[in-house]
Amino acid sequence: MAITVLVPDDDGMTALTGIDGVHPVRYEPGEALPGAAVDAEVLVPGFGVTEKVLSELPKLRLIQLRSAGAEEWIDVVPPGVLLSTCRGAHGGSTAEWAVATLLSLYRELPDFQAAQAEGVWRPHGTDTLQGKRAVIVGAGDVGRQLERRLTPFDVRVTMVGMTARDGVHGVDELPSLLGQADIVALLVPLTSKTRGMVDAGFLAAMPDGAVLVNAARGPVVDTDALLDELAARRLRAILDVTEPEPLPAGHPLWAAPNVMITPHTGGFVGGRLARSYAVVARELERYAGGELPENLVHGEY
């Protein structure tokens, strides 16, 4: 017998229709659930869907996310319900964002664009990504995707994970690694261990002129500590996420020197839904076949 899966959009219906053992049912986020919801074993949350929906799903056994981050759901998942992320869908585009912003920073593209707008020929030499030393904090899908993209630029990459393993340093080694880094890229999930990880001591260990890249979550970084470093013009930062988020008008980060801010758009690219649902489809095919999802969350992640 097929499992009923609540799907928030037509893209999901198209992606999941025809999978053996899966019966997708369309719902509209923010509106009353369809009658078939009482039989739903799987929920694919849409944007704006909150924990309130869970009380209307008596047979729910799995929440399958379309995002790689799970922090919004970990504390609200009912007992006996599994939680699976969409790891593997957004790593490439997020890594691409990191490379694009680093190239823009080092090659000073905003300055040349400003000169173009003024109609002025203003040549000057710039820095280069070539030969830089990068410490990537987070050795999951996004971290590996960034490593793949930086290596052809002759960047020397050091991978750091929560625990050490072959080719990956543990976070306990960061104090000895940060001092040699031109770039520190944050690509970790938000957990009790990573919240506030980048504090004043972490930043102080980075060398003058180093670049902090945050494509993880805003609360991973102590905003006040970062503002102190930026105000002193000792460090530079590229932020796709902030704390708070959205960043309100008048916040000191907007006017801080040496910072580039994008509004959480690292994975917000064309084809993102197709890539998300390709992962969702694989996960649900496994689940319908009696296997556990590969991206199952254990504990906080």
Side-chain angles (χ1 to χ4, degrees):
M1 186 174 179
I3 59 171
T4 298
V5 180
L6 290 181
V7 184
D9 49 45
D10 293 338
D11 294 272
M13 292 295 294
T14 300
L16 301 183
T17 297
I19 297 178
D20 288 343
V22 173
H23 173 53
V25 172
R26 179 80 158 81
Y27 75 98
E28 192 66 42
E31 298 183 6
L33 293 175
V38 296
D39 295 318
E41 290 186 46
V42 180
L43 170 68
V44 179
F47 295 112
V49 172
T50 67
E51 60 190 279
K52 294 179 181 179
V53 173
L54 304 182
S55 63
E56 302 177 47
L57 305 174
K59 296 185 179 179
L60 185 65
R61 295 294 178 268
L62 170 66
I63 298 173
Q64 174 59 58
L65 303 178
R66 297 179 302 170
S67 63
E71 68 276 0
E72 295 179 1
W73 289 93
I74 287 173
D75 293 333
V76 301
V77 176
V81 175
L82 303 173
L83 179 64
S84 179
T85 72
C86 207
R87 183 178 67 244
H90 309 297
S93 52
T94 302
E96 179 182 86
W97 167 88
V99 173
T101 52
L102 282 166
L103 285 170
S104 180
L105 176 74
Y106 283 125
R107 299 308 300 264
E108 301 180 29
L109 298 186
D111 290 348
F112 291 121
Q113 188 170 23
Q116 178 184 344
E118 297 171 21
V120 177
W121 191 264
R122 194 159 55 215
H124 63 272
T126 69
D127 202 347
T128 175
L129 186 55
Q130 298 173 88
K132 292 294 186 290
R133 301 161 298 181
V135 171
I136 298 178
V137 186
D141 174 57
V142 187
R144 289 300 187 185
Q145 293 277 11
L146 181 55
E147 179 188 28
R148 284 180 50 208
R149 285 158 175 77
L150 287 178
T151 300
F153 284 92
D154 297 325
V155 175
R156 292 169 283 173
V157 176
T158 299
M159 301 297 297
V160 177
M162 297 308 294
T163 57
R165 52 191 183 273
D166 288 346
V168 178
H169 296 265
V171 289
D172 58 317
E173 300 176 69
L174 274 173
S176 64
L177 298 173
L178 292 174
Q180 304 300 315
D182 300 299
I183 301 163
V184 177
L186 306 174
L187 301 169
V188 294
L190 180 61
T191 68
S192 59
K193 293 181 179 180
T194 62
R195 184 179 293 272
M197 169 192 286
V198 182
D199 56 13
F202 184 110
L203 295 170
M206 294 172 59
D208 292 355
V211 182
L212 180 75
V213 180
N214 191 4
R217 290 292 186 267
V220 172
V221 177
D222 181 327
T223 300
D224 289 338
L226 178 60
L227 279 168
D228 287 343
E229 292 286 6
L230 294 174
R233 299 180 182 270
R234 199 184 73 80
L235 297 180
R236 294 175 286 179
I238 300 173
L239 309 175
D240 192 44
V241 291
T242 59
E243 176 60 24
E245 187 177 312
L247 196 62
H251 192 280
L253 267 176
W254 286 121
N258 290 348
V259 63
M260 179 187 302
I261 300 171
T262 58
H264 206 151
T265 57
F268 193 20
V269 297
R272 65 189 181 283
L273 280 179
R275 284 186 287 274
S276 294
Y277 278 117
V279 175
V280 170
R282 289 197 300 270
E283 292 287 73
L284 295 187
E285 190 171 19
R286 287 176 58 87
Y287 183 73
E291 300 181 71
L292 291 175
E294 289 187 331
N295 292 348
L296 203 61
V297 174
H298 301 280
E300 288 190 272
Y301 194 69

